Amino acid sequence: MEQSKKTEGRASIIFSLIFAATYLLATLLLKRHLLGQTASILIAILPVIAFAFFIFKYVKAVANMDEVRQRVQFEAVIIGFSLTVMLLIALFLLSLTDISYPEWFGYSQLVIFCWLFYFIGWLVSKKKYGI
Amino acid sequence: MKNTIKVERAKKNWTQADLAKHIGISRQSLNSIETGKFIPSTILALRMAKAFDTSVEVLFQLEEGEY
């Protein structure tokens, strides 16, 4: 049981690293505009597939956690999701008035913000439950 | 909600790690429950009571104003 919990946790970390590697690689490759349209689409889909696998492993890892750790993950996701929605609302409303900062809030930065908000939520929740 | 986990642990001379192992959670999670930061589910409370050979009511009590 304990071994299975550790294996699931480790698998989700490994898949998060695989996702990060494919995402960075795809970004580097696609930025150079060297590939054709079909190849570009295939390269763009790779990190998405890696992310899907990561989420599958993450959900399994959370299911194997004890209830306090599950609560921490649950609240981290809620806080991360809420902060992301708040940012998107603000950006959308600002865009209506032609105020936009694409160099700070482009798609690539939004992905980073999502992760950042999740980790903020994780730290807040960890502190709340003292684990 | 208050609990007597620390007292029951002392009676058995168990560390947090010992009890955590008995009920299948991490030591940090047990600490969170023992300090009242997290209220455990019924099944975990029952598992804890079984580990101590006592009842859930002995381990967990509602405080004034929680009735």
Side-chain angles (χ1 to χ4, degrees):
Chain A
M1 182 75 174
E2 199 59 39
Q3 191 58 38
S4 137
K5 281 181 189 174
K6 278 185 184 166
T7 310
E8 292 297 343
R10 215 173 291 142
S12 73
I13 292 168
I14 290 168
F15 274 89
S16 74
L17 293 175
I18 292 171
F19 158 69
T22 54
Y23 180 73
L24 289 174
L25 207 69
T27 307
L28 286 174
L29 277 172
L30 295 173
K31 251 186 180 175
R32 297 182 182 193
H33 301 285
L34 296 172
L35 304 160
Q37 199 178 24
T38 315
S40 297
I41 291 169
L42 287 174
I43 296 282
I45 286 171
L46 268 180
V48 177
I49 295 168
F51 188 76
F53 274 107
F54 158 65
I55 289 297
F56 177 70
K57 291 288 174 187
Y58 170 73
V59 169
K60 275 183 97 171
V62 171
N64 276 314
M65 288 174 184
D66 64 50
E67 55 194 68
V68 185
R69 288 177 190 276
Q70 280 179 342
R71 177 73 68 86
V72 168
Q73 289 299 321
F74 180 60
E75 288 189 10
V77 171
I78 289 176
I79 293 170
F81 174 76
S82 308
L83 289 175
T84 305
V85 170
M86 283 154 71
L87 176 65
L88 290 176
I89 290 169
L91 289 176
F92 165 67
L93 292 174
L94 285 173
S95 74
L96 294 178
T97 58
D98 291 329
I99 300 170
S100 66
Y101 304 95
E103 67 279 7
W104 284 97
F105 299 105
Y107 286 126
S108 58
Q109 284 87 353
L110 285 178
V111 171
I112 296 166
F113 276 114
C114 282
W115 283 102
L116 180 71
F117 291 153
Y118 163 77
F119 281 112
I120 289 171
W122 185 63
L123 289 174
V124 169
S125 192
K126 261 174 85 79
K127 196 172 160 53
K128 180 179 167 188
Y129 293 107
I131 68 166
Chain B
M1 183 176 285
K2 57 185 177 181
N3 69 69
T4 57
I5 299 170
K6 199 172 179 178
V7 177
E8 295 298 324
R9 261 196 319 106
K11 280 185 199 167
K12 289 234 173 201
N13 208 14
W14 279 354
T15 61
Q16 282 190 338
D18 293 331
L19 175 59
K21 202 173 172 188
H22 263 83
I23 59 174
I25 62 171
S26 67
R27 191 200 56 77
Q28 294 95 326
S29 295
L30 177 66
N31 184 55
S32 182
I33 294 167
E34 196 173 293
T35 52
K37 288 175 183 161
F38 182 85
I39 309 295
S41 65
T42 312
I43 189 160
L44 191 56
L46 285 166
R47 239 188 272 161
M48 225 178 268
K50 198 170 171 63
F52 286 130
D53 251 331
T54 186
S55 65
V56 173
E57 287 86 349
V58 171
L59 279 180
F60 298 95
Q61 301 94 34
L62 289 172
E63 284 180 284
E64 203 65 35
E66 286 184 327
Y67 295 101

